Amino acid sequence: MDPRREFELMMTRRQLFGKAALGVGTAALHTLLGGSLLGLAGSASAAQGARFPNFAPKAKRVIYLFMNGGPSQMDLWDYKPKMVDEFDKDLPDQIRRGQRITTMTSGQARFPIAPSRYKFTKHDNGGDGVWVSELLPHTSKIVRELCVIKSMWTEAINHDPAVTYIQTGSQLPGRPSLGAWVSYGLGSANKDLPTYVVLHSKVSSGKVDQALFTRLWGTGFLSSEHQGVALRSGGDPVLYLSDPEGVDRQTRRHMLDDVSKLNELQLKEFGDPEIAARIKQYEMAYRLQASVPDLMDMSSETEATYELYGKEAREAGTFAANCLLARRLAERGVRFIQIFHRGWDQHGNLAGDLPSQCKDVDQACAALIMDLKQRGLLDETLVIWGGEFGRTVYCQGPLTRENYGRDHHPRCFTMWMAGGGVKPGTVYGETDAYSYNIVDTDGNPINPSVDHFTPGAVHIHDLNATVLNQLGVDHTKLTYRYQGRDFRLTDVHGHVVKELLI
Amino acid sequence: MTTRFFFGVLATALGVVGVAFSPDSELPIPKKIDFNRDVRPILSDNCYKCHGPDAAVVAGDLRLDQRASAVKDRRGEFVIKPKHSADSTLLERVQDKDPDYQMPPPDSGKPRLSERQIEILKRWIDQGAEYREHWAFVPPKPAPLPANVPSTWKSNPIDAFVYQGLVEQGLKPEPSADRNTLVRRVALTLTGLPPSPREVEQFVNDKKPGAYERMLDRYLASPRYGEHQARYWLDAVRYGDTHGLHLDNERGIYPYRDWVIRAFNQDVPYDDFVTWQLAGDLLPDPTTEQLIATGYIRMNPTTSEGGAIEAEFLAKNTFDRVDTTSTVLLGLTTGCARCHDHKYDPITQKDYFQLYAYFNSTAENPFDGNELYPVPTTRAYSPEQEAQRKQWQAKLSQLESKVSLAVAESWLTTAYVPLPVIGGWKISGPYPGANFDAVHGDVQPPERGEGDWRDVKIEVGKPAPSLVGRENASAYVKTTLTAKESRTVELRVGSDDGVRVWLNGNLVHDNKVLRAFGSAPDKVALPLKQGGNDLLIKVSNSGGGDGLSIDLGDPVSQQIEKTIGLKSTDPAGFLSAARKLYLQGGPKNALSTEYQGIVAKLVSQESATPLTLIARELPKPREAFVLKRGEYDQPTDKVGRGIPKALGKLPPGAPNNRLGFAQWVTSPSNPLAARVFVNILWQKNFGKGLVLTSEDFGNQGEWPSHPELLDYLAVRFVKSGWSIKQLQRMMLTSNAFRQRSSMDRVKLAKDPENRLLSRGPRFRLDAEVIRDQALYVSGLLREQVGGRGFKPYQPPGLWEAISFVESTTSRYEQDFNDSIYRRSLYLFWKRTSPHPTMLAFDAPMRESCVVRRSRTNTPLQALVTMNETAFLESQRVFAERLQRAFLTDTARLDFAFKACLGRPAAASEANLMRSALKRYRAKFHRDAGAAAALAGIGLAPRETSLPPVETATWMMIASTLFNTDEFLTQH
């Protein structure tokens, strides 16, 4: 027999880094191979009959800037000037409409309005203009590139379920993350780096009072090779990448050659294609040991670049440095890059904490967009900014004109997207004067349902459907058979919001 | 348009249809169609979603899961007309090219049926279109053993079924693997550790008949057996050492894990194993073990996130229990019926919430309070300890009965001196200091009888937090103790951080310490004078929280105080307590010494025994409702408890609660439990289940590769009294298990995944086994069954990068003793960030139920075994072991192969390694620094007498062997 030949067919579905030339993911491979080599009945296989991308993609990759904790929409994007006159007045019942609130504030005697203390300015975005808070001086300069969605909504009202929901499409643990689905469906577009990379950012205030969970970049029931790989700013960028002191490159090469030879003997004896795959994986590990240090070596970055991203970009692990790294990953063809930044949970002392949060991310967000643009990468890179939910207009805790706190608010919040085929210079969706309910173009409240799409309101499933759409994937076709059911990222929901797209 | 009603509303949108493929197009089509094997999968997968069990969406009044509906005369038209495929519109519709008519419709996302599938439907209709109940919902019956199986091949009944399957495909089994391979295969399968070279030799040289069985029985009897088997169960029940959600604090439930290990080792029958876990608390007079087992009910991830809504998490916790129980014990995907009737299986939404009603009435708070031991809990005494305690308590009673009541009473009344009366408390401070020395030592105004004082509430026996309220500062509290007569009283004072105590102006205690609340309190003797005494206490705080806790009087004095109070209210209670107290606090004599000795043993055993989370049923069940779309805040019809109709009913006389449910699970009326467990065990031993989808035995699950074998084993399992070890033994003594695991072109084509068992099992070892094996081979493995999870080497920052700062698991604090060499089963399992070595090799997160791990082959795995500290350290210790035990390269190499791979090196391998040795020696001679660095890896003590060059050289050899496919693989 010729195990090598079988191996050529078998290996791809098992590998972390797909073949650049083919650019196919696991799901697609099952289709290509017709399952005949892979199992009796295509068990645990992918979307039957579907090939990804389903149609020409607008974006080759995604950079997702995740603001963990729930950024306050009405202090950043959702300008509500009338609230100034409502200071310390009670939130009207016809606005709250009996909607549930968290048990952190449900016991409050009053729900007094806390107007934003920040100045908003209208910026030219090439269209009707967009109001942006003074806390985002850099981002406000690139609004011509942004598609701002003011009418995001979710059902989840607490962090753990909400962040799990937006990342995996389910409030309970156990489902694959967005990046894992993308890796599963589309595979890798590069030879030497992971498909899905996760970057954690330092928070300069040190106040990181909300947690993250490995499940947010996990694979759920998908094969674990689709897991997001965290690139770390301290120690080994990829876990266990460095050889121990005393083992140089040549020694490693010798050792791997010997391992290979021993494995070849086994392959000859047992004929298991899995052995051939292992030989290949060790070679990839060896390559990874070179490609990652090359990725992390910033010496080729210019002064101008650091000026663009800000001086924090010189310090590894800051949000700014991660944005710069994200660009380098994008250049190298990494399919899905997610940067996490924590500390956006302003229940109290918003005036003390929010400026520092914004300072951490504002310049770098803008820099990333401009940098991608000047390198011709923005068109093919979808950039997303936002958190798991919004915050309440009413105050939590002590209220003054200068300072206040805000509780979680799932009924409306703001995210933005850029590049990757989304409409630049747009604002989508509107909220009422209290930034409490999503409203239609006439200002009437929309009571959106997850069951069907209501124009003007973007559920997190709609967002995820739209993101997949830009990657050329029909979110209803990207399925995985588990427990007899074809699971999707968007469950049985989700609608591609065409109005956001070019 | 007479056919229109057939499929109801038709699709109008033209979806993008992917390229259809037919994975099965080359498979032969059976002459005699078997509905369950051939037809049901086609109908279920392509049609049931709209024409199946979900009553709410049945389209066009057609149910294809029910024959009556499918063959109905519809104004002269027939969807299925038995024996007349040409008159059956089903076949027209699945072949129609018009998107308005074709089935499945284009917008379903389903591909067109393959030619083979259509032919199967055609033949089935022409053969009469008979329906059969789904195989898994019919109780297993013992199938007759296939005949004509060569006796050379047949070791036990398993082989008869396997042989038949092979013959049908024109395949032959492989011969038995050699003895070296067999002993490694059995040892790894049963214990998760490889055989030692001595064990290999013992088996290879045992020429008497029955050698294989003897070898197997040795491993079955090993305590390592339970450790290895428990691991699979822990995946299934999503065992973790943290709550799993939000704060992800530590949770104290490892005694459950240890009980699972014990249960496997003692071969607790599976029906008991299940019953104790589901309902041990409801058994009459449950033992501690039975209570510990109910940790199963408490295993779901929990939260206490600020702002969370209780009713929501009561529902979510219960969903998780129902879904896990269904998957693990029943192989059913009931979760699908949470929002609507199941699309494929006969489980209605009401059925789901009737199951839910069994699990929503346990006494714990839906929120975990972020506590280590959210109640209810029990002390996890082992059966031996429990027996011992009973003995001790009996002895105490016996000793008590020897005390004369009159003596006890008179002693109690005369010995009683009331504890001093504590006045109101006042506080002064904070008084800042430059550093902790100054904070603690500097004399502040209160010590000079000055200072501003205000009232403060301090209760005896309760912690008083935040007295200082800032970093690097102190505060003073004072009160008056009024004593009836002069006496010395014990003051117990706990503090965060340091503490000083003055009585009547004299310093009586000084403890400059950095500590947290909850540490053992300081005991201070207070010589009180009659009348008022001034008590002054200083708390010094360095940073973080601060506070004080105060208790007055030793425990016996406190007890006397309480007991004296009983005299008027509860005379009998008074007398019984009086004897106990007399023996504890009365005059010293032989009796009291013996008594106090036993009490001390009881107390010390109690404090040394961990608590563990258990289930307890509420006296009155919570109400349960069908929840619309599964939303906790949308209850509709009220439901009671009940077993889904399609799955039998409670055994006669069973209570309608968790206990009754448990009894149903293992009753003959339930068609699933035995099959599901047999399959999970088969999957563990052979790499894949007889039913590949071990998590789904429903309509959408895979047709079993050997249905008769599965049923045969299930029946036999029940008959054996649910003995897991017997079942295990039967599987491992089969010839099917003992085959060589080599493949050739024919077998790769006809049996690519070895579902037909045309060869022996061959698959990559699990994460835990790979790590344990490295430690074991080197001699580093520390074997100790049970106990709190350990924290080995882990790259810094992993927990810190994601954790909530106030979490008790926000910072990874590695252990620095030999517990880091324990088996991976005992790793401290933080569910939001499990150990990276485990994740790299496909261990699940343990946040949700997993009965089948993925098995990947990635470069990140190579990096782990090449560079992770525990692997490097194992290589170093192994290198030292080789040098210590053997003098020549040949002997060392020989042992290295035997220890790592369970076999001697082939000549070509030995040659390869000898030239590698030469190369590495030369290299490390040139670079002594490199050798020293490499030979210094890990905390394990170094053998300083050994030359680093040699150690480094042999480490490279070890590393080479540890990274071979063979080392990482069961074969």
Side-chain angles (χ1 to χ4, degrees):
Chain A
M1 66 166 293
D2 178 13
R4 285 280 177 184
R5 268 201 40 220
E6 269 92 352
F7 157 68
E8 285 301 330
L9 285 168
M10 299 284 281
M11 60 162 280
T12 319
R13 78 191 163 109
R14 298 188 173 91
Q15 69 193 16
L16 174 66
F17 312 133
K19 289 184 130 179
L22 276 175
V24 293
T26 316
L29 194 81
H30 276 278
T31 308
L32 292 178
L33 295 185
S36 57
L37 263 179
L38 300 179
L40 280 182
S43 56
S45 76
Q48 291 180 10
R51 181 182 288 192
F52 301 103
N54 306 109
F55 37 79
K58 289 282 178 0
K60 289 183 180 164
R61 69 194 72 86
V62 172
I63 301 177
Y64 200 144
L65 312 172
F66 196 83
M67 307 294 119
N68 190 53
S72 173
Q73 76 278 14
M74 72 281 281
D75 291 296
L76 301 177
W77 293 99
D78 202 10
Y79 181 42
K80 297 299 171 193
K82 285 192 188 142
M83 288 300 100
V84 176
D85 305 328
E86 304 291 314
F87 173 74
D88 204 18
K89 290 184 191 162
D90 288 327
L91 175 70
D93 285 346
Q94 71 268 23
I95 297 298
R96 182 181 160 195
R97 301 195 301 168
Q99 295 295 338
R100 68 174 188 163
I101 53 187
T102 83
T103 51
M104 278 180 290
T105 47
S106 58
Q108 281 187 191
R110 295 182 57 224
F111 298 104
I113 302 293
S116 176
R117 57 163 284 172
Y118 298 104
K119 209 178 124 210
F120 277 68
T121 312
K122 193 166 189 178
H123 294 269
D124 180 7
N125 65 350
D128 298 336
V130 54
W131 290 92
V132 189
S133 157
E134 60 183 320
L135 291 175
L136 300 171
H138 291 89
T139 312
S140 61
K141 290 194 195 108
I142 53 138
V143 289
R144 278 175 173 275
E145 305 297 338
L146 304 188
C147 170
V148 179
I149 311 166
K150 287 176 19 185
S151 55
M152 289 298 308
W153 72 280
T154 175
E155 296 98 302
I157 200 165
N158 291 104
H159 295 287
D160 184 316
V163 69
T164 306
Y165 196 22
I166 193 168
Q167 282 288 112
T168 73
S170 165
Q171 295 189 41
L172 295 173
R175 303 274 179 91
S177 56
L178 171 58
W181 276 112
V182 170
S183 164
Y184 161 72
L186 294 174
S188 181
N190 78 86
K191 272 190 291 193
D192 306 323
L193 288 168
T195 309
Y196 176 15
V197 169
V198 171
L199 302 164
H200 295 295
S201 313
K202 292 174 187 163
V203 175
S204 55
S205 71
K207 288 183 184 165
V208 282
D209 47 5
Q210 283 309 330
L212 296 170
F213 321 100
T214 307
R215 79 179 89 101
L216 302 180
W217 49 94
T219 54
F221 42 69
L222 293 178
S223 175
S224 65
E225 72 235 67
H226 302 296
Q227 167 125 348
V229 175
L231 274 188
R232 297 142 37 90
S233 54
D236 272 344
V238 168
L239 289 177
Y240 314 122
L241 184 76
S242 304
D243 291 326
E245 203 188 333
V247 175
D248 54 27
R249 264 324 247 173
Q250 196 197 17
T251 308
R252 176 59 76 210
R253 186 66 265 166
H254 285 316
M255 174 263 183
L256 287 176
D257 288 343
D258 288 343
V259 170
S260 243
K261 283 175 201 154
L262 292 173
N263 285 345
E264 299 268 5
L265 291 171
Q266 285 289 304
L267 181 59
K268 227 177 259 165
E269 187 170 348
F270 289 101
D272 186 351
E274 203 65 45
I275 305 174
R278 180 136 7 250
I279 294 171
K280 200 81 181 171
Q281 297 307 326
Y282 271 79
E283 284 311 306
M284 286 190 187
Y286 184 76
R287 288 217 305 272
L288 198 61
Q289 288 186 312
S291 60
V292 172
D294 173 67
L295 165 78
M296 307 299 279
D297 175 11
M298 298 289 182
S299 57
S300 61
E301 297 294 342
T302 63
E303 272 308 308
T305 296
Y306 282 112
E307 223 157 84
L308 188 64
Y309 284 84
K311 61 179 187 318
E312 297 82 7
R314 290 187 188 278
E315 188 195 334
T318 60
F319 183 82
N322 282 342
C323 282
L324 177 53
L325 193 52
R327 190 215 77 212
R328 295 170 65 88
L329 287 162
E331 287 172 325
R332 285 161 174 78
V334 171
R335 181 83 70 183
F336 202 96
I337 303 149
Q338 190 152 27
I339 305 182
F340 286 93
H341 185 261
R342 296 161 72 193
W344 293 85
D345 190 29
Q346 274 71 45
H347 287 281
N349 191 28
L350 182 140
D353 296 340
L354 190 59
S356 140
Q357 290 295 113
C358 291
K359 193 162 183 309
D360 276 0
V361 306
D362 174 48
Q363 183 175 355
C365 287
L368 176 63
I369 302 289
M370 289 189 284
D371 201 8
L372 289 172
K373 185 161 183 167
Q374 72 193 9
R375 288 164 199 264
L377 290 167
L378 186 59
D379 287 345
E380 54 183 50
T381 307
L382 178 63
V383 185
I384 309 166
W385 179 98
E388 69 269 35
F389 43 47
R391 308 208 75 86
T392 55
V393 68
Y394 60 79
C395 183
Q396 178 178 3
L399 167 65
T400 63
R401 289 264 182 199
E402 290 71 40
N403 207 349
Y404 43 85
R406 301 191 189 277
D407 199 359
H408 311 159
H409 187 64
R411 295 179 51 75
C412 62
F413 62 104
T414 303
M415 295 182 74
W416 58 253
M417 297 198 283
V422 300
K423 249 183 220 163
T426 39
V427 178
Y428 184 83
E430 195 45 85
T431 61
D432 62 21
Y434 295 81
S435 189
Y436 206 88
N437 300 293
I438 298 171
V439 296
D440 63 19
T441 41
D442 299 328
N444 299 316
I446 296 176
N447 199 8
S449 158
V450 71
D451 288 337
H452 54 84
F453 177 70
T454 312
V458 183
H459 188 268
I460 58 158
H461 284 315
D462 301 330
L463 177 82
N464 286 340
T466 308
V467 171
L468 290 180
N469 182 75
Q470 296 312 90
L471 291 165
V473 172
D474 177 345
H475 70 104
T476 67
K477 295 206 162 64
L478 183 60
T479 62
Y480 183 83
R481 172 69 56 84
Y482 176 67
Q483 294 211 324
R485 190 184 153 201
D486 292 333
F487 278 88
R488 290 172 17 196
L489 171 63
T490 50
D491 199 3
V492 295
H493 309 294
H495 172 91
V496 177
V497 188
K498 294 264 160 55
E499 292 82 352
L500 304 174
L501 309 177
I502 293 171
Chain B
M1 292 290 282
T2 48
T3 53
R4 246 212 125 114
F5 66 89
F6 172 7
F7 284 117
V9 181
L10 285 169
T12 47
L14 246 178
V16 179
V17 182
V19 183
F21 75 97
S22 43
D24 49 9
S25 55
E26 282 153 41
L27 293 177
I29 300 173
K31 280 205 182 70
K32 172 71 189 148
I33 301 295
D34 180 313
F35 175 77
N36 270 327
R37 181 191 60 203
D38 305 321
V39 179
R40 183 192 295 278
I42 303 174
L43 296 181
S44 176
D45 202 18
N46 294 288
C47 316
Y48 281 7
K49 202 170 170 193
C50 305
H51 300 287
D54 183 358
V57 297
V58 171
D61 187 31
L62 171 66
R63 282 187 63 168
L64 285 170
D65 63 320
Q66 291 181 343
R67 189 169 193 267
S69 172
V71 302
K72 201 161 100 180
D73 181 344
R74 298 167 192 263
R75 281 182 269 165
E77 296 223 357
F78 294 87
V79 175
I80 291 174
K81 191 170 184 189
K83 307 225 178 217
H84 299 277
S85 59
D87 298 334
S88 302
T89 53
L90 178 74
L91 288 175
E92 277 174 34
R93 299 296 292 269
V94 297
Q95 296 179 86
D96 207 311
K97 297 217 162 42
D98 182 344
D100 282 350
Y101 288 89
Q102 71 186 32
M103 283 291 157
D107 67 350
S108 67
K110 300 279 179 197
R112 305 309 311 272
L113 296 195
S114 69
E115 280 174 26
R116 181 174 186 273
Q117 289 172 320
I118 291 167
E119 181 58 27
I120 285 173
L121 291 178
K122 182 167 174 297
R123 286 192 196 179
W124 169 63
I125 293 173
D126 288 333
Q127 288 170 12
E130 286 305 329
Y131 276 67
R132 295 262 183 286
E133 212 178 327
H134 180 55
W135 67 272
F137 299 149
V138 182
K141 283 195 208 77
L145 291 187
N148 303 327
V149 178
S151 58
T152 47
W153 161 250
K154 196 173 118 185
S155 161
N156 69 29
I158 290 175
D159 297 319
F161 293 105
V162 170
Y163 189 80
Q164 189 189 33
L166 290 174
V167 166
E168 278 170 15
Q169 294 297 319
L171 292 170
K172 278 198 187 120
E174 291 289 315
S176 174
D178 60 50
R179 285 202 167 193
N180 293 75
T181 305
L182 282 179
V183 62
R184 182 173 183 267
R185 187 183 292 172
V186 170
L188 284 170
T189 301
L190 290 179
T191 68
L193 290 172
S196 68
R198 204 185 51 82
E199 289 164 8
V200 174
E201 223 163 281
Q202 186 183 4
F203 174 57
V204 170
N205 295 333
D206 186 348
K207 302 296 183 203
K208 286 190 220 118
Y212 181 81
E213 287 76 8
R214 272 194 298 283
M215 176 269 289
L216 190 140
D217 287 339
R218 284 196 291 273
Y219 291 115
L220 263 182
S222 159
R224 295 169 184 165
Y225 165 81
E227 293 182 304
H228 185 52
Q229 306 301 318
R231 220 164 42 65
Y232 298 89
W233 194 256
L234 298 178
D235 275 3
V237 304
R238 66 227 179 302
Y239 171 87
D241 293 310
T242 59
H243 290 300
L245 298 177
H246 197 238
L247 239 68
D248 199 27
N249 272 359
E250 181 172 358
R251 147 196 296 193
I253 197 162
Y254 66 79
Y256 168 84
R257 176 197 61 203
D258 298 345
W259 169 77
V260 174
I261 296 168
R262 236 176 11 250
F264 277 106
N265 273 335
Q266 296 172 355
D267 201 22
V268 169
Y270 184 69
D271 53 349
D272 285 344
F273 182 67
V274 166
T275 304
W276 296 6
Q277 294 184 67
L278 283 170
D281 57 316
L282 296 171
L283 290 168
D285 195 14
T287 63
T288 300
E289 277 200 298
Q290 289 166 339
L291 289 175
I292 294 171
T294 64
Y296 169 82
I297 297 287
R298 301 290 303 278
M299 206 56 80
N300 55 287
T302 54
T303 191
S304 247
E305 179 172 348
I309 296 165
E310 190 171 305
E312 180 173 3
F313 279 91
L314 175 65
K316 283 180 173 170
N317 294 347
T318 311
F319 292 155
D320 199 339
R321 285 174 194 160
V322 175
D323 297 354
T324 298
T325 299
S326 301
T327 303
V328 176
L329 301 180
L330 305 173
L332 278 184
T333 60
T334 56
C336 294
R338 194 191 301 158
C339 308
H340 49 69
D341 291 349
H342 203 290
K343 297 275 182 201
Y344 308 105
D345 295 330
I347 299 162
T348 63
Q349 195 185 12
K350 190 176 167 201
D351 285 337
Y352 181 85
F353 284 98
Q354 287 183 335
L355 287 175
Y356 176 99
Y358 284 109
F359 292 95
N360 74 339
S361 296
T362 40
E364 77 284 347
N365 190 309
F367 294 137
D368 54 45
N370 298 318
E371 290 167 22
L372 180 58
Y373 299 115
V375 289
T377 56
T378 191
R379 290 263 168 216
Y381 299 115
S382 69
E384 298 75 31
Q385 286 176 321
E386 209 176 20
Q388 173 77 77
R389 289 182 79 77
K390 280 205 177 120
Q391 269 182 20
W392 282 338
Q393 273 146 353
K395 183 73 188 166
L396 289 183
S397 304
Q398 191 203 341
L399 295 175
E400 283 160 22
S401 67
K402 288 186 182 168
V403 176
S404 136
L405 278 175
V407 170
E409 184 179 0
S410 115
W411 168 79
L412 199 57
T413 11
T414 52
Y416 170 58
V417 183
L419 287 171
V421 177
I422 305 168
W425 291 89
K426 288 189 180 300
I427 184 166
S428 180
Y431 297 100
N435 51 47
F436 189 61
D437 284 351
V439 168
H440 188 77
D442 286 358
V443 176
Q444 302 295 349
E447 292 180 45
R448 299 189 293 263
E450 301 157 8
D452 295 328
W453 294 93
R454 54 195 191 279
D455 289 342
V456 64
K457 194 174 163 190
I458 294 177
E459 286 179 82
V460 169
K462 285 189 184 160
S466 301
L467 296 173
V468 183
R470 53 176 290 183
E471 296 190 350
N472 272 332
S474 64
Y476 293 78
V477 295
K478 67 174 184 181
T479 189
T480 309
L481 304 176
T482 310
K484 275 222 168 132
E485 54 189 72
S486 107
R487 65 176 290 198
T488 297
V489 171
E490 184 179 290
L491 171 76
R492 273 167 294 148
V493 55
S495 58
D496 178 0
D497 297 301
V499 64
R500 305 180 91 184
V501 181
W502 292 263
L503 182 70
N504 298 323
N506 303 316
L507 184 67
V508 290
H509 182 66
D510 186 352
N511 189 3
K512 194 175 105 183
V513 61
L514 293 176
R515 66 177 170 186
F517 254 156
S519 333
D522 304 344
K523 290 181 185 168
V524 185
L526 296 181
L528 300 178
K529 58 181 196 217
Q530 195 184 2
N533 295 270
D534 297 328
L535 181 69
L536 177 70
I537 303 175
K538 177 181 191 175
V539 188
S540 41
N541 181 37
S542 72
D546 73 273
L548 194 63
S549 70
I550 283 170
D551 219 344
L552 204 58
D554 59 281
V556 174
S557 298
Q558 286 185 341
Q559 275 296 320
I560 292 177
E561 189 96 1
K562 248 189 240 161
T563 309
I564 289 285
L566 287 178
K567 197 172 177 181
S568 52
T569 56
D570 176 10
F574 169 76
L575 288 175
S576 136
R579 284 166 144 172
K580 292 185 191 336
L581 282 172
Y582 176 78
L583 286 169
Q584 284 189 71
K588 277 223 175 300
N589 54 36
L591 198 63
S592 71
T593 309
E594 186 178 3
Y595 191 88
Q596 288 169 23
I598 295 171
V599 169
K601 280 189 210 165
L602 277 163
V603 168
S604 88
Q605 189 182 57
E606 180 178 334
S607 57
T609 305
L611 288 167
T612 190
L613 277 56
I614 58 168
R616 196 169 61 224
E617 192 74 354
L618 289 170
K620 189 167 170 276
R622 290 191 179 97
E623 293 189 319
F625 299 87
V626 172
L627 300 178
K628 193 178 162 199
R629 303 179 48 90
E631 295 291 342
Y632 76 94
D633 53 358
Q634 296 187 44
T636 59
D637 301 337
K638 195 173 157 182
V639 290
R641 295 163 170 169
I643 306 297
K645 217 171 25 186
L647 298 176
K649 49 183 181 229
L650 287 184
N656 198 10
N657 57 15
R658 275 186 287 120
L659 181 59
F661 176 82
Q663 289 166 356
W664 164 75
V665 167
T666 54
S667 75
S669 138
N670 175 7
L672 291 161
R675 282 185 178 127
V676 167
F677 187 77
V678 163
N679 192 58
I680 284 180
L681 196 67
W682 187 279
Q683 168 184 287
K684 202 183 71 55
N685 294 337
F686 288 88
K688 292 199 170 61
L690 293 168
V691 175
L692 188 66
T693 52
S694 37
E695 66 286 338
D696 185 11
F697 276 53
N699 278 306
Q700 289 287 91
E702 282 258 325
W703 177 250
S705 58
H706 300 79
E708 294 90 3
L709 172 57
L710 178 62
D711 282 6
Y712 178 89
L713 291 173
V715 169
R716 184 125 174 182
F717 181 40
V718 177
K719 267 204 188 138
S720 76
W722 301 88
S723 164
I724 298 170
K725 279 195 178 179
Q726 281 188 38
L727 182 62
Q728 185 80 261
R729 196 173 188 279
M730 185 164 178
M731 290 183 189
L732 267 56
T733 49
S734 68
N735 276 337
F737 181 79
R738 291 192 243 184
Q739 293 174 91
R740 259 178 68 94
S741 60
S742 48
M743 327 178 179
D744 59 29
R745 191 199 302 270
V746 176
K747 287 192 171 175
L748 267 177
K750 287 199 171 176
D751 187 21
E753 304 260 313
N754 202 20
R755 299 286 314 283
L756 295 170
L757 301 154
S758 62
R759 55 191 176 270
R762 190 173 204 291
F763 50 86
R764 202 212 66 221
L765 294 167
D766 284 336
E768 292 89 339
V769 180
I770 289 175
R771 177 181 171 275
D772 294 354
Q773 183 177 236
L775 292 171
Y776 179 71
V777 163
S778 71
L780 261 180
L781 189 75
R782 187 187 140 206
E783 297 198 64
Q784 175 211 322
V785 176
R788 185 168 179 245
F790 72 97
K791 302 194 183 97
Y793 305 112
Q794 177 170 299
L798 293 179
W799 287 12
E800 292 77 0
I802 63 154
S803 293
F804 197 101
V805 272
E806 283 160 33
S807 167
T808 57
T809 58
S810 67
R811 284 187 312 186
Y812 189 80
E813 281 159 11
Q814 188 200 312
D815 293 333
F816 286 95
N817 50 36
D818 65 357
S819 71
I820 64 173
Y821 308 119
R822 300 186 62 199
R823 293 192 74 171
S824 309
L825 158 80
Y826 303 113
L827 274 169
F828 183 90
W829 203 276
K830 179 174 165 70
R831 284 156 137 181
T832 59
S833 185
H835 196 277
T837 299
M838 297 296 110
L839 291 188
F841 285 96
D842 304 314
M845 313 271 282
R846 300 262 181 87
E847 291 175 314
S848 59
C849 160
V850 170
V851 292
R852 183 164 56 131
R853 289 187 181 188
S854 57
R855 221 171 246 138
T856 58
N857 191 342
T858 73
L860 300 184
Q861 292 166 357
L863 293 177
V864 171
T865 44
M866 274 157 42
N867 293 329
E868 199 271 334
T869 311
F871 284 90
L872 290 170
E873 186 180 30
S874 297
Q875 290 154 19
R876 191 257 291 171
V877 174
F878 187 52
E880 291 172 349
R881 182 180 177 189
L882 291 174
Q883 295 173 75
R884 220 175 36 230
F886 305 96
L887 291 175
T888 63
D889 282 355
T890 310
R892 288 172 185 171
L893 267 181
D894 183 56
F895 183 83
F897 268 79
K898 283 178 176 161
C900 294
L901 307 177
R903 64 174 177 84
S908 56
E909 292 169 329
N911 284 338
L912 188 70
M913 289 296 97
R914 263 193 291 274
S915 55
L917 271 175
K918 209 166 140 194
R919 189 174 62 227
Y920 293 132
R921 260 192 201 118
K923 183 222 143 57
F924 288 120
H925 268 299
R926 283 195 308 275
D927 188 350
L934 201 54
I937 282 173
L939 291 171
R942 278 208 50 211
E943 300 245 1
T944 43
S945 60
L946 300 172
V949 170
E950 277 304 291
T951 300
T953 299
W954 282 100
M955 275 179 81
M956 292 311 299
I957 300 297
S959 170
T960 304
L961 291 175
F962 281 24
N963 279 286
T964 56
D965 181 80
E966 194 178 356
F967 185 78
L968 304 169
T969 300
Q970 164 73 293
H971 63 88

